[in-house]
């Protein structure tokens, strides 16, 4: 059986990009979810430019994993801190991670 995320692979050059900045936790998950949902409207995926994110908690990790399961999610520009966090939880092997936004668009 194929997961919804792997069942479709849209052209990454046409994917919308969201680039949130700052700290994201339980209180900001609804805003981030709305940004993701808006970006996904009419598209088969989204690119999360994480370069401006300075902190995330477990609720944001959950949102990222849920988004990955339901659509084609690419994540670009992870800071060393987020790269380490994703590695600690072992999700760096599951998610579509790219060093730059350009790489996320052209891979």
């Amino acid at each position: 059986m194929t997961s919804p995320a792997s069942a479709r692979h849209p052209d990454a050059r046409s994917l919308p990009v969201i680039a949130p900045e700052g700290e994201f936790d339980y209180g900001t998950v609804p805003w981030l979810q709305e940004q993701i949902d808006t970006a996904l409207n009419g598209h088969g995926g989204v690119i999360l430019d994480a370069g401006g994110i300075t902190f995330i908690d477990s609720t944001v990790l959950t949102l990222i994993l849920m988004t990955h399961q339901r659509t084609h999610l690419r994540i670009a520009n992870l800071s060393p801190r987020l790269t380490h966090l994703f590695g600690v939880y072992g999700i760096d092997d599951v998610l579509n991670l790219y060093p730059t936004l350009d790489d996320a668009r052209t891979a």
Side-chain angles (χ1 to χ4, degrees), residues 22-58:
E23 297 184 358
F24 291 89
D25 58 19
Y26 176 78
T28 54
V29 163
W31 177 87
L32 188 56
Q33 178 72 65
E34 182 180 330
Q35 297 300 306
I36 290 169
D37 290 344
T38 299
L40 286 174
N41 189 18
H43 295 89
V46 65
I47 297 174
L48 173 63
D49 183 343
I53 299 175
T54 57
F55 172 82
I56 62 172
D57 71 0
S58 62

Side-chain angles (χ1 to χ4, degrees), residues 8-17 43-47 72-74 96 98 101-107:
R8 58 186 177 273
H9 295 281
D11 180 5
R13 293 171 297 209
S14 66
L15 291 179
V17 176
H43 295 89
V46 65
I47 297 174
H72 188 73
L73 172 66
R74 291 178 176 217
N96 301 307
Y98 301 89
L101 181 57
D102 189 48
D103 289 334
R105 286 194 177 280
T106 59

